[in-house]
């Protein structure tokens, strides 16, 4: 069922908004619209949507700035849209806090598939629903609370996006195992892995910033060059 999901579309191109809105409504989603980043932030604070589809290039407050502002207080999934396919733009979007990135023009089926995957990830591993279990994964002073879907770092609660949570849950569930970037992407994004190293790397870097004392010399979340990523138990 999709009716209870609320999605915010943010784009200054009215035609693009109308196309996406029609596709989402036909799929059963409830839709809000905004045409700049400032309006988007206001709607998020007032309506608390389950997903944001955010264009990059907008006047006044663009998608990058709006995403960084949203991330200060919310872990809502953000699918960033851009007419630029360059890898540097994708990296900037992910560094700003986006969960996924889609280049214009795109097929409606691909948009809906990514929306569905992000919502499923958020619903099962984000902040929408809490379970009654009190299970935790603890490695020294790092605790992943699987009941409340939150990270506790040296006694302090740390906000994670749903994507970050799922990556960390996978790595911490098998400490010492090295996961190639392609496997991480296929399991987390539920899409075929193709040139995904930068996408995974950016999310790993964001997680490191939240749990490591010195992200440049990580104690826990490490890279095994040429192979992948591992969560070690020092």
């Amino acid at each position: 069922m999709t009716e209870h999901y609320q999605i915010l579309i943010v784009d200054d191109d009215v035609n693009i908004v109308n196309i996406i809105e029609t596709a989402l409504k036909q799929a059963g989603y409830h839709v809000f619209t905004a045409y700049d980043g400032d309006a988007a932030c206001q709607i998020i604070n007032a309506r608390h949507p389950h997903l944001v589809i955010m264009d990059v290039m907008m006047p006044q407050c663009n998608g990058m700035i709006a995403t960084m502002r949203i991330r200060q207080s919310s872990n809502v999934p953000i699918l960033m849209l851009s007419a630029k396919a360059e890898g540097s733009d994708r990296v900037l979007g992910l560094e700003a806090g986006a969960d996924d990135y889609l280049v214009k023009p795109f097929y409606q089926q691909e948009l809906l598939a990514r929306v569905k995957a992000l919502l499923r990830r958020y619903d099962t591993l984000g902040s929408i629903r809490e379970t009654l279990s009190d299970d935790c994964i603890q490695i020294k002073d790092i605790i992943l609370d699987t009941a409340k879907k939150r990270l506790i770092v040296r006694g302090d609660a740390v906000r994670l996006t749903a994507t970050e949570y799922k990556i960390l849950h996978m790595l911490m569930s098998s400490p010492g195992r090295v996961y190639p970037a392609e496997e991480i992407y296929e399991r987390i994004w539920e899409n075929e892995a193709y040139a995904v190293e930068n996408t995974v790397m950016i999310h790993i870097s964001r997680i490191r910033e939240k749990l490591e004392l010195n992200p440049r010399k990580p104690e826990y979340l490490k890279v095994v060059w040429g192979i992948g990523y591992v969560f070690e138990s020092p």
Side-chain angles (χ1 to χ4, degrees), residues 126-140:
S127 65
I128 293 177
R129 183 175 66 236
E130 294 184 355
T131 68
L132 297 177
S133 171
D134 59 354
D135 291 342
C136 292
I137 302 172
Q138 180 169 1
I139 299 178
K140 292 190 67 176

Side-chain angles (χ1 to χ4, degrees), residues 190-201:
E190 301 179 9
N191 281 312
E192 183 178 354
Y194 176 74
V196 299
E197 289 80 6
N198 281 343
T199 297
V200 174
M201 178 189 67

Side-chain angles (χ1 to χ4, degrees), residues 99-119:
D99 293 275
D100 204 355
Y101 190 99
L102 189 59
V103 177
K104 301 176 183 177
F106 47 80
Y107 290 107
Q108 178 178 318
Q109 294 87 340
E110 182 178 10
L111 173 70
L112 292 175
R114 292 188 183 229
V115 165
K116 184 176 180 181
L118 284 170
L119 286 171

Side-chain angles (χ1 to χ4, degrees), residues 54-165:
M54 177 80 71
D55 184 43
V56 173
M57 299 301 296
M58 292 182 292
Q60 299 176 356
C61 179
N62 64 35
M64 297 289 188
I65 295 173
T67 296
M68 288 188 287
R69 285 172 55 185
I70 292 166
R71 282 290 171 255
Q72 293 176 5
S73 60
S74 174
N75 64 351
V76 60
I78 299 175
L79 173 60
M80 189 162 280
L81 305 180
S82 176
K84 298 182 179 180
E86 288 84 357
S88 59
D89 292 291
R90 185 185 301 266
V91 168
L92 287 174
L94 295 171
E95 285 183 335
D99 293 275
D100 204 355
Y101 190 99
L102 189 59
V103 177
K104 301 176 183 177
F106 47 80
Y107 290 107
Q108 178 178 318
Q109 294 87 340
E110 182 178 10
L111 173 70
L112 292 175
R114 292 188 183 229
V115 165
K116 184 176 180 181
L118 284 170
L119 286 171
R120 181 167 57 248
R121 192 184 315 160
Y122 185 60
D123 195 22
T124 58
L125 296 168
S127 65
I128 293 177
R129 183 175 66 236
E130 294 184 355
T131 68
L132 297 177
S133 171
D134 59 354
D135 291 342
C136 292
I137 302 172
Q138 180 169 1
I139 299 178
K140 292 190 67 176
D141 52 4
I142 307 297
I143 300 173
L144 193 65
D145 186 335
T146 59
K148 296 183 178 180
K149 308 296 185 289
R150 64 178 181 174
L151 176 65
I152 309 296
V153 178
R154 290 173 283 278
D156 294 325
V158 176
R159 183 184 299 275
L160 294 174
T161 68
T163 303
E164 292 165 356
Y165 176 89

Side-chain angles (χ1 to χ4, degrees), residues 40-49 73:
C41 292
Q42 293 175 11
I43 291 174
I44 288 170
N45 290 333
R47 301 290 188 91
H48 306 291
S73 60

Side-chain angles (χ1 to χ4, degrees), residues 2 19-31 108 112:
T2 60
I19 290 171
I20 298 175
E21 181 178 15
T22 298
L24 292 176
K25 285 185 174 179
Q26 288 178 347
Y29 297 106
H30 186 75
V31 177
Q108 178 178 318
L112 292 175

